[in-house]
Amino acid sequence: MQKLFIKSIAFLSLLFISGSLTACSKTQAITSSAKSTKLKSKVSQDKLSTKKLPTKITTQSLLKHSQMVMEKAPKFQVVSDTSLQKGETNQHEKITGTYFKNPLNIQLESEKSTNNQTVKVQTFYLNRHKIFGEDNGNWVGKSLDKENLNPDLNLKQLNNVTGLIFNNSLNNFNLTLEGDHYLLQNHTIDQNVTSQLSQLLAVNNYQGESTFAAKLNQYKVTDFSYEAHFERKTLAPQRITYAISLIDANQENIQLNGSLIYNLSLKQKRFMMPK
C-alpha cells in the first residue's frame, strides 16, 4: 500500500510543474491604454481577480498576477494529461486534482494506461495530516510524515502556474494577445534545457527526484515546445501544453507530451473525506 501511494503521488508531482517568478524578463511589453482601461473596468466583476491589473503586461507581470489569482482562489481543479511514447510503447496518465484550501482537502483521481489498455483507476484523498487510499474495498489512511508528503508544498507549486518556464529563461518566451486570452510560447531552446528539465521534473517530487528526471541527463533534447493560455480579463491560467522530443543513448526517439487544464470557477461542493 505504501509503495502504491508514493508511486502515484510521485507521478502526479511530475505533472504539476512550476518554475520561479524571480527572473527578469526581456519580453517586450504589450501595452494599450484603451485595453488596459477596459480590463480594469471589468476585472472588479470577477471574484478571482485582484483589485488592479498591471498597466503593462509583460511575461513577468502576467505570471506574477496569475500566481496572485491562484492564491486567492478558495478552490480549483487541475486536469493533467501526460503521454510518453518510446518505440511501440505508449504510457498515458490522466490525473484530476480537486483542491479545497480551507481546510485543505485534496482529491486526486488517476487513470493510467499502457498501449491504450487501462491499467488502474484510483482515487486518493489528502489533507494536511493524512493520505487516504482504497485497499481491498477499505479506505486506509497513512500519515504524511511517514510517507514524506507535503500537500502545502504541492499547493504552493500549483499557485505558481508557470509551467515549463525556468527562472533564467523568461527571455526565451514570446507573449502575445490572441483575442480573449494571452498566449505565452517558447521561441528558442535554452542551451541548458536538459539540466533545467531535470530540475523541473523533480520539483515537488515527494521522493526527492522522479525516475524520469533522474535519467534525463542520459537523453538529448532535440525539440521542446510550450504554450500557455491566460484569460485576458483576469490573467487567470486556462491551459498549458508542452511537447518534449528526446533521443536516448541507443538513438531511440522518445516523445513526452502533456497538458494541464485549469478550472478556477469550480462549482463542485466540498467532497466527503474518508474517516
Side-chain angles (χ1 to χ4, degrees):
M1 188 66 181
Q2 179 179 3
K3 292 181 179 179
L4 181 65
F5 281 170
I6 294 180
K7 182 178 180 181
S8 297
I9 299 303
F11 195 92
L12 172 71
S13 63
L14 182 150
L15 301 177
F16 289 164
I17 43 189
S18 62
S20 172
L21 299 175
T22 58
C24 295
S25 172
K26 297 181 182 178
T27 304
Q28 184 178 3
I30 299 175
T31 60
S32 171
S33 58
K35 292 177 181 177
S36 177
T37 302
K38 187 176 181 181
L39 284 175
K40 291 178 182 178
S41 66
K42 288 185 177 181
V43 72
S44 60
Q45 303 173 11
D46 195 298
K47 294 180 180 180
L48 296 178
S49 65
T50 54
K51 294 182 180 179
K52 185 177 180 181
L53 288 176
T55 303
K56 297 181 179 180
I57 304 297
T58 64
T59 300
Q60 189 177 17
S61 65
L62 180 145
L63 295 176
K64 183 177 181 180
H65 196 91
S66 293
Q67 180 181 2
M68 293 168 61
V69 170
M70 287 290 291
E71 289 174 347
K72 291 184 66 175
K75 57 183 179 179
F76 64 90
Q77 189 175 78
V78 180
V79 179
S80 59
D81 203 305
T82 299
S83 64
L84 192 150
Q85 179 80 43
K86 183 177 181 181
E88 297 181 355
T89 301
N90 182 289
Q91 296 178 328
H92 174 258
E93 180 160 9
K94 179 180 179 180
I95 297 179
T96 300
T98 305
Y99 291 75
F100 290 84
K101 289 187 178 179
N102 189 20
L104 181 62
N105 289 165
I106 304 172
Q107 181 190 61
L108 307 175
E109 297 179 322
S110 168
E111 180 178 330
K112 302 179 183 180
S113 64
T114 300
N115 294 338
N116 298 319
Q117 299 295 318
T118 301
V119 178
K120 286 183 179 179
V121 177
Q122 297 175 287
T123 300
F124 298 91
Y125 293 92
L126 293 88
N127 56 28
R128 284 193 168 88
H129 308 288
K130 287 186 176 182
I131 176 172
F132 299 87
E134 201 167 9
D135 187 16
N136 294 324
N138 298 315
W139 287 100
V140 179
K142 295 284 187 177
S143 169
L144 294 185
D145 292 335
K146 292 182 179 179
E147 301 296 332
N148 193 29
L149 305 182
N150 189 334
D152 291 300
L153 179 59
N154 178 255
L155 189 63
K156 182 179 179 180
Q157 299 295 350
L158 285 174
N159 283 342
N160 281 339
V161 298
T162 51
L164 292 168
I165 301 175
F166 313 110
N167 59 355
N168 59 343
S169 299
L170 290 181
N171 57 306
N172 292 330
F173 291 82
N174 285 329
L175 179 63
T176 56
L177 180 59
E178 305 285 338
D180 62 352
H181 67 276
Y182 284 96
L183 176 62
L184 190 63
Q185 297 173 298
N186 71 312
H187 59 91
T188 60
I189 299 178
D190 192 276
Q191 291 182 349
N192 299 318
V193 66
T194 300
S195 61
Q196 290 177 332
L197 281 172
S198 181
Q199 296 173 21
L200 171 78
L201 296 177
V203 167
N204 196 29
N205 186 290
Y206 298 115
Q207 291 177 301
E209 192 172 33
S210 70
T211 302
F212 191 77
K215 296 180 178 179
L216 193 61
N217 58 2
Q218 303 174 19
Y219 306 130
K220 178 182 178 181
V221 178
T222 58
D223 195 19
F224 166 50
S225 63
Y226 167 95
E227 287 188 356
H229 299 254
F230 299 84
E231 188 180 72
R232 178 179 178 179
K233 185 171 67 172
T234 64
L235 302 187
Q238 295 177 316
R239 68 182 184 274
I240 293 172
T241 59
Y242 59 92
I244 307 170
S245 300
L246 311 102
I247 297 178
D248 64 13
N250 297 319
Q251 300 301 302
E252 188 171 9
N253 294 320
I254 299 173
Q255 185 65 37
L256 177 64
N257 296 333
S259 67
L260 294 93
I261 307 298
Y262 292 84
N263 179 5
L264 274 66
S265 300
L266 186 64
K267 303 299 182 183
Q268 179 178 328
K269 295 182 179 179
R270 186 177 293 274
F271 42 78
M272 184 68 67
M273 292 285 291
K275 298 294 184 180

